């Protein structure tokens, strides 16, 4: 949460395969050294018969290694094709925002990484084979290397099974909305408990202006901001919310209590799309997108919209009694020192609107969705304190008004306005 580097690497697909291929080169070098050490030890002891047996075993393994090296790239192509089809289907059926789930999938990255590592290792092992097979003159027998290669082949097969299972799960809407909800709760769990509002920070003594490219504010380096603010006795406030689009010249930080330190702008990360890292509303944004697309005339899948509403209600229920408005980061390991950074997050009304507004607008002719939304709103009304009831009551009244306008028959209206946690069932 505090350092965005790990999250940025998870949003890339190149890092894990490249790191794994670099690691496998090191493994091959160590295995080659072990093979040479075994040959030298047997030669010093005069065990030429045992050395000849090793040469024979290695030659038998060479056939397998050669087959692996030629077939692995085809295997990689098959897996890559499966990924492209799955991503295309998920993007068209759910939302383009869910593509990041496939990009961040650990099992997908592990599968590609191990496949590429197996291919690279098999090529390196083949270069270790010598034309000389006489035990008295051979300098290296790639026995350990061949064993490691076969072990990677076995691991590749296991990962392929796990990868296919994981990909099929991610093509099912229930698992997609569950993954989105889990990531939303991870963001919530990493945020410190705060009182909201930011308090009195004192007069603004300067601003930090964004100088980089235009894009979406993905996250900020909280650790560095707190450290710099503590060193200079300042309080920093992040002006745009995470997920806002910023252009060059936009003030991104307000400085309270002193001069503006140099180099703060580099700790603000701007990209082409939003991420979960510090974005409390991004999960609701994705759930709303999936539910809205499900209710479009081209798809007409109200059950998917109900599944999204289930998770929206779940997430809002977790926020029912949590202070919102501004996250306060304090100095000290326990976070009990003075406030050094204030980061705005959506208010309760903002999150309620994000979760319900668009789906409600498309739910007038879908009794399954209107019934589920009414039940969800009633459940939330029973949980939240009095000061948070207004946006829920507003959405409930607007939904009732919409259904009354869209449904001409009184019996159908009464049915559509009956709260039901399963929609229709």
């Amino acid at each position: 949460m505090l350092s965005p580097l790990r999250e940025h690497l998870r949003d890339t697909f190149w890092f894990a395969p490249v790191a794994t291929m670099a690691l496998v080169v090191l493994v091959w070098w160590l295995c080659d050294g072990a093979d040479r050490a075994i040959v030298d030890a047997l030669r010093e002891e005069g065990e030429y018969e045992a050395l000849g047996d090793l040469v024979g075993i290695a030659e038998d393994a060479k056939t397998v290694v050669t087959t692996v090296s030629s077939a692995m790239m085809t295997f990689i192509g098959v897996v890559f094709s499966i990924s492209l089809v799955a991503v295309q289907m998920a993007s068209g059926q759910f939302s383009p925002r869910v593509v990041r789930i496939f990009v961040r999938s650990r099992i997908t990255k592990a599968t590609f990484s191990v496949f590429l590592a197996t291919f690279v290792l098999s090529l390196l092992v083949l270069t270790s084979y010598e034309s000389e097979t006489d035990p008295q003159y051979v300098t290296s027998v790639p026995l350990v290397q061949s064993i490691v290669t076969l072990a990677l082949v076995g691991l590749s097969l296991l990962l392929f099974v796990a990868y296919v299972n994981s990909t099929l799960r991610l093509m099912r809407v229930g698992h997609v909305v569950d993954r989105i909800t889990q990531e939303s709760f991870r963001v919530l769990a990493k945020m410190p408990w705060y009182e909201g509002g930011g308090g009195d920070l004192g007069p603004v003594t300067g601003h930090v202006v964004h100088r980089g490219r235009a894009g979406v504010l993905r996250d900020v380096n909280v650790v560095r901001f707190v450290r710099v603010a503590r060193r200079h006795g300042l309080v920093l406030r992040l002006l745009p919310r995470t997920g806002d689009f910023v252009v060059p010249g936009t003030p991104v930080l307000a400085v309270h209590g002193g001069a503006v330190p140099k180099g703060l702008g580099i700790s603000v990360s701007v990209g082409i799309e939003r991420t979960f890292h510090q974005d409390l509303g991004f999960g609701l944004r994705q759930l709303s997108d999936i539910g809205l697309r499900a209710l479009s005339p081209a798809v007409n899948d109200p059950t998917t919209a109900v599944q999204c509403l289930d998770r929206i209600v779940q997430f809002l229920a977790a926020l029912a009694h949590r202070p919102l408005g501004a996250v306060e980061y304090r100095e000290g390991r326990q976070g009990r020192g003075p406030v050094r950074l204030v980061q705005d997050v959506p208010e309760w009304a903002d999150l309620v609107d994000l979760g319900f507004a668009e789906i409600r607008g498309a739910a007038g002719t879908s009794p399954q969705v209107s019934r589920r939304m009414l039940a969800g709103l009633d459940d939330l009304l029973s949980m939240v304190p009095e000061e948070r009831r207004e946006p829920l009551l507003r959405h409930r009244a607007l939904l009732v008004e919409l259904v009354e306008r869209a449904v001409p028959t009184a019996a159908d209206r009464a049915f559509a306005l009956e709260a039901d946690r399963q929609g229709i069932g």
Side-chain angles (χ1 to χ4, degrees):
M1 179 66 180
L2 300 181
S3 176
L5 177 60
R6 177 176 173 271
E7 290 297 318
H8 291 181
L9 291 178
R10 285 196 64 191
D11 283 330
T12 64
F13 202 81
W14 60 268
F15 178 75
V18 170
T20 305
M21 287 189 291
L23 178 62
V24 84
V25 172
L26 175 61
V27 171
W28 168 77
W29 180 75
L30 294 174
C31 292
D32 182 61
D35 287 329
R36 293 181 183 275
I38 292 173
V39 171
D40 292 340
L42 291 176
R43 182 178 290 112
E44 289 177 1
E45 296 178 4
E47 297 288 343
Y48 291 106
E49 183 178 351
L51 187 55
D53 293 338
L54 291 182
V55 172
I57 295 173
E59 287 295 324
D60 293 337
K62 183 178 181 180
T63 304
V64 178
V65 175
T66 303
T67 303
V68 169
S69 65
S70 60
M72 190 53 66
M73 284 306 295
T74 303
F75 204 26
I76 293 173
V78 171
V79 175
F80 189 66
S81 300
I82 293 175
S83 294
L84 289 180
V85 172
V87 168
Q88 185 177 11
M89 290 183 62
S91 177
Q93 182 179 356
F94 305 137
S95 166
R97 259 67 62 189
V98 304
V99 173
R100 65 184 304 278
I101 295 178
F102 291 85
V103 175
R104 290 171 63 91
S105 172
R106 289 189 176 94
I107 188 64
T108 302
K109 292 179 181 179
T111 303
F112 273 97
S113 299
V114 173
F115 283 6
L116 289 172
T118 304
F119 175 70
V120 171
L121 182 59
S122 63
L123 294 181
L124 293 173
V125 172
L126 290 176
T127 63
S128 299
Y129 278 92
E130 301 177 355
S131 58
E132 181 62 62
T133 58
D134 190 336
Q136 296 186 1
Y137 301 103
V138 71
T139 59
S140 176
V141 178
L143 181 63
V144 176
Q145 301 172 55
S146 300
I147 293 174
V148 173
T149 303
L150 295 178
L152 280 179
V153 171
L155 179 60
S156 298
L157 295 175
L158 293 176
L159 282 175
F160 179 70
V161 175
Y163 166 77
V164 172
N165 178 68
S166 175
T167 302
L168 292 176
R169 285 167 60 91
L170 289 178
M171 293 172 67
R172 296 161 58 186
V173 65
H175 292 284
V176 171
V177 298
D178 182 63
R179 285 284 296 274
I180 294 171
T181 307
Q182 289 179 17
E183 291 215 42
S184 299
F185 275 103
R186 290 192 191 102
V187 176
L188 183 62
K190 292 177 181 178
M191 283 187 174
W193 189 274
Y194 53 93
E195 296 303 324
D200 184 12
L201 306 179
V204 176
T205 55
H207 290 92
V208 176
V209 177
H210 177 57
R211 300 295 184 187
R213 62 175 180 172
V216 175
L217 178 63
R218 298 192 299 179
D219 47 46
V220 297
N221 193 326
V222 175
V223 171
R224 185 170 186 273
F225 279 159
V226 172
R227 187 187 307 122
V228 172
R230 180 184 59 199
R231 186 184 309 129
H232 294 84
L234 307 173
V235 179
L236 304 176
R237 185 181 186 100
L238 188 67
L239 297 177
R241 289 178 182 172
T242 305
D244 287 355
F245 191 87
V246 296
V247 299
T250 303
V252 291
L253 279 173
V255 180
H256 301 259
V260 179
K262 295 181 179 180
L264 286 179
I266 62 174
S267 298
V268 177
S269 175
V270 172
I272 60 175
E273 62 180 357
R274 296 168 68 174
T275 68
F276 266 110
H277 185 208
Q278 296 171 359
D279 196 339
L280 186 62
F282 189 41
L284 290 177
R285 174 71 275 160
Q286 293 184 75
L287 292 173
S288 180
D289 284 348
I290 296 173
L292 187 62
R293 176 167 296 202
L295 292 176
S296 66
V299 179
N300 194 23
D301 181 14
T303 303
T304 293
V306 167
Q307 289 180 285
C308 293
L309 285 172
D310 292 340
R311 300 301 184 165
I312 290 171
V313 172
Q314 177 189 0
F315 187 65
L316 291 176
L319 296 171
H321 297 278
R322 189 181 181 103
L324 296 168
V327 181
E328 298 176 350
Y329 295 96
R330 300 173 179 268
E331 66 176 69
R333 292 187 175 182
Q334 302 298 326
R336 298 177 180 175
V339 175
R340 293 304 180 190
L341 174 67
V342 177
Q343 182 178 14
D344 285 338
V345 298
E347 300 277 1
W348 169 254
D350 299 327
L351 295 172
V352 171
D353 291 341
L354 179 57
F356 290 118
E358 293 174 317
I359 298 179
R360 173 182 52 76
T365 57
S366 177
Q368 182 178 358
V369 179
S370 62
R371 288 161 62 95
R372 177 63 187 100
M373 185 174 290
L374 286 171
L377 290 169
D378 290 343
D379 288 341
L380 290 172
L381 284 168
S382 67
M383 299 178 190
V384 301
E386 185 64 31
E387 62 272 14
R388 291 191 172 181
R389 293 172 58 87
E390 188 278 329
L392 299 172
L393 292 172
R394 172 167 50 86
H395 279 285
R396 197 183 196 288
L398 289 172
L399 178 60
V400 171
E401 181 183 344
L402 178 65
V403 172
E404 289 177 344
R405 290 200 313 266
V407 181
T409 308
D412 289 338
R413 285 198 302 270
F415 180 78
L417 293 177
E418 182 179 347
D420 187 343
R421 290 191 179 91
Q422 292 189 19
I424 296 178

